[in-house]
Amino acid sequence: MHRSFQSALKHGQAAERKWVESRRKDGRAVAHGKKLVIKNHCKVKDHVESPDAVALLSVEIKERSLSFTGPEDYPYDTVFVDDCRGLGRENLAHFAYVYVSKPTGKWVWLTPLDRDETWTEEVTFDRGRGHEVPVLVAPKSHLRSAESLINLIYPHGLLDLVDGETGVFVSGGGAVEERERYVAQTHPDAGGRTAKAKGANSKRVG
């Protein structure tokens, strides 16, 4: 016997809530999507944009003096991904590495999710630091277009469908904060700073 649409929806939403809360217990930054009940919903024509959940992912941005406009005209066959020493100390894997061309302003990106046997660890001379540095190197073929990453980043126009504070993703930030040393907040109840700034774009949604 088939379940009714409302019954299936209820079970699906319960699974979504359970997944989000489980990730929060893991100490990960995940938000609920709004649970919308559309009374006159047509499965054939209508599409509800409300997400099941929204997750915060890390992006590493690197500016290069190289001139390029996309993956096709990146001037080398390989890409320096990151310093192996820093990678060995990081507990968090970046979702994306973005490479910005200083001459053109265009950018490309790659993701460690594509790492395979073609990625190698090599030693190169860092002219800025004046010594050799072990680096992770990826083939140029793993570079992706800027548009393909933009299509994965949650748009401002749908932030009202995230059940929580979202203003920081619209404006603000970028300030430099000085500390004597860095101590990571590891407690699962460590909160963010969204509640402190109540500007025009920092609104409660949901």
Side-chain angles (χ1 to χ4, degrees):
M1 181 177 181
H2 294 294
R3 291 186 298 174
S4 69
F5 174 75
Q6 290 296 334
S7 175
L9 180 64
K10 182 178 179 181
H11 282 84
Q13 291 178 346
E16 294 159 14
R17 291 190 184 94
K18 183 177 180 180
W19 187 88
V20 169
E21 292 307 319
S22 294
R23 301 295 71 74
R24 287 175 170 177
K25 289 178 181 177
D26 292 338
R28 301 298 172 172
V30 182
H32 288 286
K34 278 189 177 179
K35 305 308 177 194
L36 301 178
V37 177
I38 310 300
K39 295 182 179 179
N40 297 310
H41 176 71
C42 175
K43 292 190 290 183
V44 177
K45 297 185 297 181
D46 298 337
H47 175 67
V48 180
E49 296 282 0
S50 182
D52 295 340
V54 176
L56 190 63
L57 299 169
S58 174
V59 177
E60 181 82 357
I61 301 171
K62 298 180 180 293
E63 187 178 61
R64 294 288 185 256
S65 58
L66 307 175
S67 180
F68 56 86
T69 60
E72 298 79 12
D73 64 352
Y74 191 84
Y76 293 103
D77 292 331
T78 57
V79 183
F80 289 164
V81 179
D82 211 343
D83 185 332
C84 292
R85 298 169 302 182
L87 282 172
R89 293 191 294 265
E90 290 180 349
N91 294 318
L92 175 69
H94 302 299
F95 170 71
Y97 283 83
V98 169
Y99 303 91
V100 182
S101 169
K102 192 173 183 180
T104 69
K106 302 296 184 179
W107 57 274
V108 294
W109 69 290
L110 56 71
T111 175
L113 295 174
D114 287 337
R115 184 172 179 175
D116 58 20
E117 68 279 356
T118 65
W119 292 41
T120 59
E121 294 184 6
E122 302 177 9
V123 176
T124 185
F125 185 79
D126 189 321
R127 287 178 292 181
R129 303 179 191 178
H131 59 79
E132 291 185 332
V133 177
V135 294
L136 179 63
V137 180
K140 168 185 173 177
S141 59
H142 284 235
L143 289 174
R144 298 169 181 252
S145 68
E147 291 75 17
S148 63
L149 180 57
I150 290 173
N151 290 336
L152 294 173
I153 299 175
Y154 208 72
H156 287 171
L158 297 181
L159 283 174
D160 64 331
L161 296 177
V162 179
D163 193 10
E165 296 282 355
T166 60
V168 70
F169 292 102
V170 177
S171 65
V176 176
E177 178 181 343
E178 292 188 9
R179 299 184 186 181
E180 289 297 323
R181 58 189 297 267
Y182 177 72
V183 179
Q185 294 186 11
T186 56
H187 193 277
D189 292 333
R193 296 180 293 175
T194 53
K196 293 184 179 180
K198 294 290 184 181
N201 291 313
S202 181
K203 61 181 181 180
R204 179 75 186 180
V205 286

